Amino acid sequence: MPPSGCGICSRRPCVASLGAMKTQMAAAKQSVSGLSDKLTEHERIQKRTAKSIKQTGSKISGLSDKMALLSAPILAAATAGFKLHGDFANGIAKISTLVDTKVVSMQKVSDEIRASGTIFKEPLAWRA
């Protein structure tokens, strides 16, 4: 009669134990395989998210470049406007030293100078 054990010994419980171990190993292998699939899926999602974040960053960067291009002429116009206002105020101050401000209203002089600039449909400062 052949031995009914595991080959090393002739005990039946050893064979049953080996069978249970094989079943547990198969279950563990399947569990690890499922975990590996989930990790692969997670990695794919992370890569897709990273790509999306990178694209969003590029779009925001491009928008900031466009805003810088748009704001430069606005800033230049504002600077020119402030300079023009300063030059006008300085000129009115010089005129006020030449005329009797008790007789001539400097506000009226200022308003008349501004009105004369609109006669030509463009500011006088640009005609120079």
Side-chain angles (χ1 to χ4, degrees):
M1 176 166 162
S4 59
C6 63
I8 297 173
C9 67
S10 59
R11 287 186 257 149
R12 275 193 196 270
C14 195
V15 173
S17 185
L18 186 60
M21 288 174 122
K22 284 182 180 180
T23 303
Q24 288 175 351
M25 287 296 288
K29 185 177 180 181
Q30 188 173 5
S31 178
V32 168
S33 176
L35 183 59
S36 177
D37 291 344
K38 287 180 182 179
L39 285 173
T40 303
E41 175 67 15
H42 182 70
E43 180 183 11
R44 190 176 61 78
I45 290 170
Q46 280 186 328
K47 285 181 180 178
R48 186 175 46 199
T49 302
K51 182 179 178 183
S52 176
I53 290 170
K54 186 176 180 181
Q55 289 173 343
T56 301
S58 295
K59 289 177 183 177
I60 290 171
S61 178
L63 181 62
S64 69
D65 293 344
K66 289 177 184 175
M67 290 301 287
L69 290 175
L70 179 64
S71 65
I74 293 171
L75 181 61
T79 302
F82 284 129
K83 182 180 181 334
L84 184 61
H85 173 71
D87 291 348
F88 183 77
N90 190 23
I92 292 294
K94 288 179 181 177
I95 291 172
S96 71
T97 63
L98 300 174
V99 297
D100 185 4
T101 56
K102 292 179 185 172
V103 177
V104 177
S105 164
M106 290 312 299
Q107 183 62 46
K108 185 175 180 181
V109 171
S110 175
D111 292 344
E112 288 179 7
I113 291 172
R114 287 184 180 152
S116 69
T118 60
I119 292 172
F120 302 106
K121 304 293 185 228
E122 60 184 68
L124 290 176
W126 300 107
R127 298 181 134 268

